[in-house]
Amino acid sequence: MPKILIVDDEQPIRELVKFNLEREGFQVLQAGDGNAALTLARSENPDLIVLDVMLPGQDGLTVCRSLHQDPYTHSIPIIMLSARGEELDKVLGLEMGADDYITKPFSPRELVARVKARLRRQTAEAQVNEQSGRITVGKLVIDQDRFIVSYNGIKQDLTPKEFELLRYLARNPGKVFTRDFLLEQIWGYDFAGDSRTVDVHIRHIRQKLEQIPGAPQFIETVRGVGYRFKEVQGC
């Protein structure tokens, strides 16, 4: 279920957008100001952000720029909302890192369609990258042909098993795997160790790739079951 963060200081608008997105199967988070938006974006790592330009404190353009400059939130798509339809506002928003722009008042149906389209585009880009021998998720690049993993342009020193585990999960985004299943797939049926081996390797991968301890950006723990690679998808 894709997670969408709505950032608008007008609660009726947040509730309207929330209602229409949830009806289409999205999980929705809300923030009423720029500071709350930045905090939620980093802690929840949403799949897309709907961001109003006119916000108390930090305005939407400033928030957009902060999100775009932050390695942890850089790859999150942003659709900006504004009551002002001037071309300059749209240009500034796109230059700050926004992916799309909608002028208020807007049709909830149009907004939902734009959200779906942006997420579909992101999925298509990921599929193209994988066909070319690479899996790219934001600033994470897994080069399957050369067995190299880089984050933010910097090569990461993963062991062969860490690479295989990361690649297997990344090639199946959103799918939950038990520890025992991963143990068999990566280490083989005749491996003498136990499922804690998977936990140890996941911890090491996170230490090398994740920006914020306790807030997984790529590999999520499904309590009582196992692990999954964070999914970014359209509906």
Side-chain angles (χ1 to χ4, degrees), residues 86-122:
E86 288 87 349
E87 184 177 354
L88 178 60
D89 287 339
K90 296 181 180 181
V91 171
L92 284 174
L94 296 173
E95 286 182 346
M96 293 294 184
D99 298 272
D100 203 352
Y101 201 107
I102 299 180
T103 302
K104 295 179 180 178
F106 58 85
S107 161
R109 181 178 296 180
E110 178 188 4
L111 176 59
V112 171
R114 298 275 193 99
V115 168
K116 290 181 177 181
R118 180 57 238 179
L119 292 177
R120 280 197 302 269
R121 194 175 309 128
Q122 187 139 323

Side-chain angles (χ1 to χ4, degrees), residues 130 133-135 140 142-149 158-173 177 182 185-186 202 205 209 219 229:
E130 182 165 358
R134 294 187 176 188
I135 302 173
L140 174 67
I142 304 171
D143 189 326
Q144 302 180 88
D145 296 330
R146 297 193 298 160
F147 276 69
I148 293 174
V149 174
L158 269 65
T159 68
K161 289 302 182 187
E162 289 169 359
F163 178 90
E164 291 181 35
L165 181 57
L166 176 64
R167 179 177 61 176
Y168 192 89
L169 291 169
R171 291 179 68 178
N172 297 277
F177 296 102
L182 291 171
Q185 293 297 313
I186 306 302
I202 292 290
I205 293 171
L209 300 181
I219 301 175
F229 197 87

Side-chain angles (χ1 to χ4, degrees), residues 30 51 54 79 93 101 105 120 123 127 175 179 200 205 211 219 227:
Q30 298 185 52
L51 175 63
M54 301 299 291
I79 297 178
Y101 201 107
R120 280 197 302 269
T123 302
Q127 291 172 345
K175 188 172 182 179
R179 292 167 175 82
V200 171
I205 293 171
Q211 299 296 298
I219 301 175
Y227 298 99

